[in-house]
Structures are given as C-alpha cells and as structure tokens.
Amino acid sequence: MKKLYLHDDCIISPLGFTTSKNLENLRSGTTGLQKLNKNDFLDTPICAGIVNSEILTETFAEIGNPQDFTKLEQMMLLAVQGVLDKNPELDLDKTGLIISTTKGNVHLLDDLADFKKERLFLSNLGNIVKDFFGFKLKPIVVSNACISGGLALAVAKKMINAGKFSEAIVVGGDMLSKFVVSGFNSFQALSENDCKPFSKDRTGINLGEAAAAILVSDLPKKNSVNISLVGDASANDANHISGPSRTGEGLYKSIQNSLKEAQISSEAIKAISTHGTATLYNDEMEAIAISRSELGEIPLHSVKGYYGHTLGASALIEAILCKHMMLNREIYPSLNFTENGVSAKINVVTAYQKSINLDYVLKTASGFGGCNLAMIFKKEGENG
Amino acid sequence: MPIMTDLHTELKASIIEQLNLEDMEVSDIENDEPLFGDGLGLDSIDALELIVLLEKDYGIKLTDPKKGREIFESINKMADFIEANRTK
Amino acid sequence: MANLGVEHWVRIKNERIILDGEVIFSSEVDIARFLKASFKFLNIKYPKFHKMDRLSKLGFIASEIVLKNNNIDEETALVFSNNSSSLDSDQNYQESVKDFPSPSLFVYTLPNIVLGEISIRHQLKSENVFFIEDEFNANLLIDYSKQLIESKKANKVLCAWLNLHNDEYDVFLWLSSESHKKEASEEQIRKIYDADYD
C-alpha cells in the first residue's frame, strides 16, 4: 500500500481564513467559540463556532460572486483556492477531488432562498467545487457522520492506490443551521458554555462551522520534511446507532488495525489528536479505547474547545493540525480542561508545548451510526 | 387491581405511537412494568423522545436527562409525575 | 490485484424483491405498506425494525436477504452509496423542527445510520463508508472494495446502491468476495443493475 503524503492545506474557520492564522490562535489558546444569548438557531442561548458571514462574503468576493453560492460553498471554495494558490502548477485535469460533509446545504430545506432544489443534494456540492475550479475528474463525496473528514483522506489513499489519480484535493465542510443545532439540542447534547473535553464538569458539545482543504499525493515534497498517512482503519461498534460503545470496541479495533497497517506498536505514538467532543459518553468511550490500546500516558488534546464540533470538517481539520504539529514540533493545548472526568487514565495537554519530536501521531474520530476511525501520521526526512 | 385512569391509557397509546412500538396494544403494557431494560426494552433515543412527549402533550420541560430515568421507570411513575407537574 | 466475484445479489425496485435474478417477493402497494409486507415476508422477530427510517428499512431488508445462509464474519465491510443521502428523513425531521424537534427522527438524518443498523443486526465490526453520487457508479464501489480486500481490512464486502427519493426506491446490494470463479466486471454489475427481470 502506498503512503499518502500531506502537502499544502487551508483552513477556513472562526479562527481565521488561512492555516497560519488558525495555528497562531491555537498556540495562544484563543478560542473561536462565542456565546450567543439571541441566535438564529434556538430560543435558548448557544455557544458555537460561527464564521462571520460578512467577512466571509467580502473575502469570497475576491474569487467569485457571493450571491451565487451558499455560506458552506463559499467556505469550501475558499479553502480549495487557498491550496491552489500555493500550487499554481497543479494539473486539474488529473487531480482527484474528494468532498466530505455530513449535511451540506441542509439549511435550504427551511428556505431555498434563490437557490435551486438540486443544491440540497450532496453530489451537487461536489460538482459546484469541480466546476468552479475546472477539475476534470468526477468528485467523490463521502458522507459518513462525524468521521467523514478523516475517512475522506482514507478514501484518497485507496483511490490513489487503485491508480485513479496520483494527486487529489480533499475538502471537508459543514455549516451551522437550525436543522443541525436543534437536532443536537433534542439530544440534550449541547453545552451553553465553552465545552470541556475530558473534564469532570463537562456538560456537552458546542457546534461549529468550518471548511478545510488539503492537497495529498503519493509522492513526498522534495527536499523537505514530510508527513504521511501510514495507517488508517475504521470499525463499527455494532452496538447502538447514537450511543458510543461502553467498551470503546470499535475505536479500539480501529486503533489496533491502523497500528498494524503502519507496522508500529503503540509505543511509537508520541501524541494523540482525539475526537473529544465533551459529551459524557464520547469522552468516556474514547478514554477507554485509548487506555485499552496502552496509550494512556501519551499526551493528547481535543481542539473542540477552539472550533466546537465542525462535523464533516472536524477530522480533516484535526488531521491537518496533526501535520503542522509534527512539522513544527509542537502540541496545541486542550482548552478548558479542569479535572480528569473519565474513568480511564489519559494524559491531557493543558499548556502549549514546543520542541517535541513527534514522529508518529494518532488521530481518532467517532460518530453516529457507531462509526469509528483511527489514522496514523508519520514524519520523515528530518535529521536528528 | 391498580387504578387505571384515562391518563394511564392515554400515555400508553401515545408511547406506542410515538416510539413506533409495532404490534403492541395498550393492554400489553402494565402500569408498573419497567419501560426500559427488560420491560418494554426502550433505549436512550426513546427516552429523549419521551422528554419531547412530556413537553408537547403536557407542557413539562425536562432539562436534566438524569431525572428522566426515575420518571420513565413505569407508566405509574410517569402518570404521577405528569399529574403533579402538568401545565396543559 | 484481487479478483472480486459476486456471491449473491438483491434488487429492490418497483414493488419487487429480486434475489440472484429471481423475483422472490412482490406487492403492489405504496412504500410504507411495501416495507411492512417485505418485513413480514422475512419472517423474523426484530422489533427495532419498526423504529427505523425508510432508508434503513430498505437497507435492512436487502441485507437480510443477501446475507441469509451466507457465511460471513465480523470482517465483512459495508461500502454503500446513493444519490439522495438521507433527504427523505431530513424532510421529516425538518417538519418536526417547526413544532418539537424529534430526536428519533434526527438520528436518522445521516445516510450512514443504515450501516450502523446492519452492523448491529449482523454483528459486523468492520470498515464502513457511505458515498454520495449523481447516479449508480459501480466503479467506485468495486475499486474501494478491492482496496479493502487487498489491504486485508476486510474479507468480504457488502456493496450497495441504496436510494430513496420522493417515495421512489432503488436498491441494489451485492456480496462481493475474492472469487475462485470469474471476476465480476463493472459491465456485468451494471447489467444486473439495469436489467428488467420481467
């Protein structure tokens, strides 16, 4: 199996419209979450990661007509543009396009505005990105709940191995809507305050909106340190469609299988980027799976305290952050951690750490439908 | 014989309808039978749906899901709670 | 390269269920009654079926038929696709948002929930993916399945096109495995999908 090298990327989020702006805020521990007493989504206050529509529209106007595209489309197109700007020589005739989203433009169900009904279809979202930039290959759209963004990277790896293309742009995104916010609220899963992953006093998740794009390839960047996806595995809990497994079965199995593919043992892992949504059950399940994998001592974080849960974008953004942590030898702190609130032993990073050699990093994700995903990233080409 | 009020019957009927308990009838549910676990075998999503039912039909807003566990123990417990707290 | 053959396939369309080319059930009624009658035809006890949304019910019935009497284990992967995602359930949930948002409707507003339902029923602790396509695309499902089998992430793959839109359903499931017999090409799989079975 070929490796999948992670090249240039771009994150569009409340923390900024470039990856470097996002990283600045992660280093300084600045959150993108805001508490809104009055909001468009619920009658009650919410705390969420919201992309400023005015700034987005202004920024998007530089590459297209904002009126022709939904907020989600604008975010996704800007993310892809950010990657293409750094790769003007990329041959779009041969470059694959993989899209990840959970709900796409579902907000149009409530009010189509001036858009056509086709915009509700997720495959249409793929075609919008394809046509905007002039990609030639048919886009592949992945919609697999909250692991979608990471799974899209695993899909890219498989399609590259199948010889369909040797480079691809993977783009993930989801936006806030009354639909999604009221749904999580009906699950009594939302926290009115900043979420506290893995903490004893955690009360639930914050939702967020964001998009991210990354160029992936079967070839490394020349004369450079490279990060690649060397192991990935998904596994279903086969237990419940909304509640995480009590034993962490599916996630544990995903971690084990990804280690197997990476041909390393758990001791090689230097840091973990968790799903860490701050619901009671997710964090507990994840801690159990991590501890069962003998990774309880390994530094870990959740970035949900910065972004909230960005659904189909989250695992892709977090994979991109893994890449930058490894390249920059740093770990971003897990915001809002108070006191360990999970039954298994884990090692939550609460302060920004520098000068750490991260040669292997594990990324985990889980979602509705009982799905779980683990990915292992490797650093190579660095001397010493 | 326990007292069977209209509320008990009404509750059973709406539970069967709301939770899609196919092939079940009002007479199949006992007043003191556990709704979760071994009894009717309801699960966590059903519990959330029962919270919606309390608000929709009886104007009771339940914000602490843990409290639901006691209230939804049986039809009797639910009926007592509704009688004491209903606003419609 | 792994040679993938088709062990069994099922097609559900136009009020009929076809297994390996043979009509095994038909009932000319609307979708709600068709689903109910199909479930009865399966002759199993599974109360959870009635709680599922219609996309999951379709996937459940189709997988039940294809996996019946088949030797599968928990490493049988699920590689599914459709065009309308969970739009049918999205619309139902959206209706409830105006009044009281329903958690039991919301949970089905993701296309991959049916993968969870099938995994629970058959205890599959395997690789899952759900793709959204403009139309049935056998190539993607075959390519992805081959990669899963070659990298030993699965030993068999249940592939599917599982579409439901405006009460119209179009289901095609097949159990794919490394075959000692002939490989099933994209054209052959496409042909099964396109055939009329009159």
Side-chain angles (χ1 to χ4, degrees):
Chain A
M1 195 48 77
K2 285 177 186 169
K3 291 177 193 172
L4 185 82
Y5 288 95
L6 307 185
H7 290 211
D8 295 307
D9 55 67
C10 179
I11 301 173
I12 306 290
S13 83
L15 290 184
F17 287 2
T18 60
T19 300
S20 53
K21 192 81 201 149
N22 275 263
L23 298 185
E24 262 173 49
N25 284 314
L26 285 153
R27 286 183 192 118
S28 63
T30 310
T31 184
L33 297 172
Q34 47 179 316
K35 192 168 173 173
L36 294 167
N37 288 322
K38 272 200 148 206
N39 60 80
D40 298 337
F41 311 112
L42 292 179
D43 300 333
T44 49
I46 63 161
C47 180
I50 300 169
V51 169
N52 184 307
S53 294
E54 279 171 36
I55 301 175
L56 178 70
T57 305
E58 255 171 53
T59 313
F60 185 78
E62 291 168 23
I63 65 165
N65 182 359
Q67 282 172 345
D68 295 341
F69 299 96
T70 66
K71 185 178 192 181
L72 174 65
E73 291 161 3
Q74 291 181 29
M75 293 196 295
M76 291 175 94
L77 293 171
L78 275 174
V80 175
Q81 185 68 53
V83 174
L84 293 180
D85 285 347
K86 291 177 199 156
N87 296 274
E89 76 295 345
L90 193 68
D91 183 358
L92 294 189
D93 288 0
K94 294 182 193 159
T95 304
L97 178 61
I98 298 168
I99 312 276
S100 102
T101 183
T102 64
K103 295 312 303 166
N105 288 319
V106 76
H107 66 288
L108 298 179
L109 266 184
D110 192 25
D111 179 9
L112 263 181
D114 287 330
F115 294 106
K116 288 200 171 130
K117 221 184 154 191
E118 292 95 78
R119 283 299 234 281
L120 281 165
F121 288 79
L122 303 184
S123 53
N124 191 262
L125 187 59
N127 293 329
I128 296 256
V129 179
K130 171 180 174 267
D131 296 341
F132 188 86
F133 296 105
F135 284 87
K136 286 286 176 298
L137 301 175
K138 209 163 109 51
I140 297 172
V141 181
V142 181
S143 186
N144 210 96
C146 301
I147 70 168
S148 301
L151 197 55
L153 286 175
V155 169
K157 188 174 143 200
K158 289 182 185 71
M159 290 300 115
I160 284 177
N161 267 282
K164 298 291 140 181
F165 37 75
S166 58
E167 289 175 304
I169 287 187
V170 179
V171 49
D174 263 307
M175 64 178 278
L176 288 176
S177 60
K178 205 170 175 177
F179 186 102
V180 170
V181 177
S182 68
F184 276 90
N185 191 52
S186 80
F187 263 77
Q188 307 209 330
L190 295 182
S191 169
E192 278 187 20
N193 299 303
D194 287 20
C195 68
K196 299 178 170 180
F198 300 106
S199 302
K200 205 168 186 174
D201 51 351
R202 68 186 184 277
T203 54
I205 73 172
N206 306 134
L207 290 168
E209 57 190 0
I214 184 166
L215 175 65
V216 294
S217 167
D218 59 352
L219 292 175
K221 258 189 182 177
K222 280 177 197 158
N223 308 317
S224 168
V225 181
N226 274 278
I227 309 300
S228 62
L229 173 64
V230 289
D232 70 87
S234 76
N236 199 289
D237 285 329
N239 175 56
H240 195 269
I241 53 167
S242 65
S245 152
R246 299 271 158 130
T247 57
E249 190 55 36
L251 185 57
Y252 171 75
K253 191 174 170 181
S254 304
I255 294 172
Q256 295 309 311
N257 287 349
S258 63
L259 288 168
K260 210 161 95 188
E261 191 182 29
Q263 297 181 315
I264 55 169
S265 66
S266 60
E267 291 115 65
I269 301 293
K270 297 290 161 53
I272 309 168
S273 161
T274 67
H275 191 49
T277 58
T279 66
L280 284 179
Y281 296 113
N282 173 81
D283 291 6
E284 174 68 11
M285 176 281 289
E286 217 174 351
I288 289 171
I290 286 167
S291 154
R292 274 180 73 187
S293 302
E294 296 178 353
L295 293 165
E297 305 281 343
I298 308 301
L300 66 77
H301 75 190
S302 156
V303 296
K304 298 298 190 285
Y306 297 87
Y307 294 97
H309 190 353
T310 58
L311 308 175
S314 67
L316 183 62
I317 289 177
E318 289 155 15
I320 290 170
L321 297 179
C322 284
K323 183 193 107 175
H324 291 284
M325 288 201 294
M326 295 170 87
L327 289 176
N328 300 325
R329 307 166 73 94
E330 61 187 355
I331 303 181
Y332 316 122
S334 206
L335 284 189
N336 314 324
F337 182 73
T338 51
E339 192 187 333
N340 188 9
V342 288
S343 67
K345 191 191 153 21
I346 50 164
N347 179 8
V348 181
V349 175
T350 54
Y352 174 63
Q353 293 185 17
K354 261 194 92 151
S355 310
I356 304 171
N357 185 33
L358 303 171
D359 44 8
Y360 284 100
V361 169
L362 169 69
K363 166 83 211 104
T364 56
S366 301
F368 276 172
C371 55
N372 301 276
L373 176 74
M375 296 187 286
I376 291 168
F377 299 105
K378 183 190 179 184
K379 180 167 69 174
E380 55 189 70
E382 193 174 61
N383 301 320
Chain B
M1 231 357 226
I3 310 151
M4 177 86 144
T5 64
D6 286 348
L7 178 59
H8 286 76
T9 315
E10 181 183 296
L11 263 179
K12 289 175 188 177
S14 36
I15 286 175
I16 289 170
E17 200 208 320
Q18 287 296 315
L19 307 185
N20 295 315
L21 302 179
E22 195 79 10
D23 306 326
M24 277 210 101
E25 297 192 20
V26 167
S27 57
D28 294 332
I29 306 177
E30 300 289 340
N31 285 335
D32 53 1
E33 178 185 15
L35 296 176
F36 291 83
D38 290 341
L40 274 188
L42 305 187
D43 76 353
S44 54
I45 302 171
D46 296 318
L48 293 165
E49 204 60 44
L50 289 179
I51 292 174
V52 176
L53 186 145
L54 283 185
E55 188 177 355
K56 191 158 65 175
D57 294 350
Y58 307 102
I60 304 172
K61 242 187 144 95
L62 205 67
T63 44
D64 183 5
K66 278 183 201 145
K67 219 177 153 197
R69 250 176 256 166
E70 294 161 38
I71 301 161
F72 303 140
E73 214 177 274
S74 65
I75 293 290
N76 278 338
K77 282 262 167 74
M78 262 185 96
D80 290 349
F81 179 79
I82 290 167
E83 284 296 4
N85 296 283
R86 65 191 302 169
T87 61
K88 65 177 179 189
Chain C
M1 262 302 204
N3 254 5
L4 296 194
V6 173
E7 288 195 24
H8 293 285
W9 59 266
V10 69
R11 193 90 176 79
I12 306 181
K13 210 191 164 185
N14 301 333
E15 296 102 25
R16 292 190 307 175
I17 303 177
I18 296 142
L19 172 65
D20 297 335
E22 207 179 303
V23 179
I24 57 167
F25 178 79
S26 70
S27 167
E28 283 179 27
V29 287
D30 62 55
I31 178 170
R33 280 189 293 168
F34 175 77
L35 287 169
K36 221 170 174 175
S38 309
F39 179 71
K40 219 169 167 185
F41 165 74
L42 294 177
N43 201 17
I44 52 168
K45 205 174 175 291
Y46 199 71
K48 265 197 265 178
F49 175 83
H50 305 289
K51 293 176 177 265
M52 295 177 195
D53 74 337
R54 298 195 293 188
L55 188 70
S56 293
K57 281 179 178 169
L58 281 167
F60 180 92
I61 291 166
S63 60
E64 201 67 23
I65 290 167
V66 142
L67 298 179
K68 203 178 180 181
N69 309 323
N70 253 299
N71 187 19
I72 54 152
D73 64 19
E74 66 171 52
E75 306 300 337
T76 300
L78 301 176
V79 177
F80 277 45
S81 61
N82 77 6
N83 174 240
S84 51
S85 182
S86 54
L87 199 53
D88 181 73
S89 290
D90 292 359
Q91 280 161 335
N92 290 334
Y93 173 71
Q94 182 70 38
E95 279 301 306
S96 84
V97 172
K98 292 174 192 154
D99 183 17
F100 292 91
S102 159
S104 59
L105 292 177
F106 181 67
V107 73
Y108 285 100
T109 62
L110 291 165
N112 64 300
I113 297 300
V114 61
L115 306 181
E117 295 285 15
I118 295 170
S119 298
I120 293 167
R121 168 68 179 164
H122 300 282
Q123 282 304 297
L124 308 178
K125 292 166 182 164
S126 57
E127 289 272 344
N128 286 187
V129 67
F130 208 110
F131 295 112
I132 311 294
E133 296 266 24
D134 287 327
E135 54 185 8
F136 175 61
N137 175 8
N139 259 331
L140 177 65
L141 304 178
I142 295 170
D143 288 338
Y144 199 85
S145 303
K146 277 190 179 178
Q147 291 300 316
L148 286 176
I149 301 239
E150 272 179 21
S151 58
K152 304 210 174 346
K153 286 178 179 163
N155 50 25
K156 293 187 182 187
V157 183
L158 190 58
C159 293
W161 173 258
L162 180 67
N163 201 47
L164 170 66
H165 186 51
N166 290 341
D167 289 356
E168 253 183 65
Y169 45 92
D170 183 17
V171 180
F172 177 28
L173 243 87
W174 73 93
L175 184 62
S176 193
S177 64
E178 216 160 356
S179 176
H180 303 292
K181 293 180 282 175
K182 241 181 92 189
E183 181 178 30
S185 66
E186 192 243 335
E187 294 76 49
Q188 285 164 318
I189 285 173
R190 179 85 224 182
K191 220 169 139 185
I192 301 174
Y193 174 79
D194 285 334
D196 277 337
Y197 308 103
D198 287 327

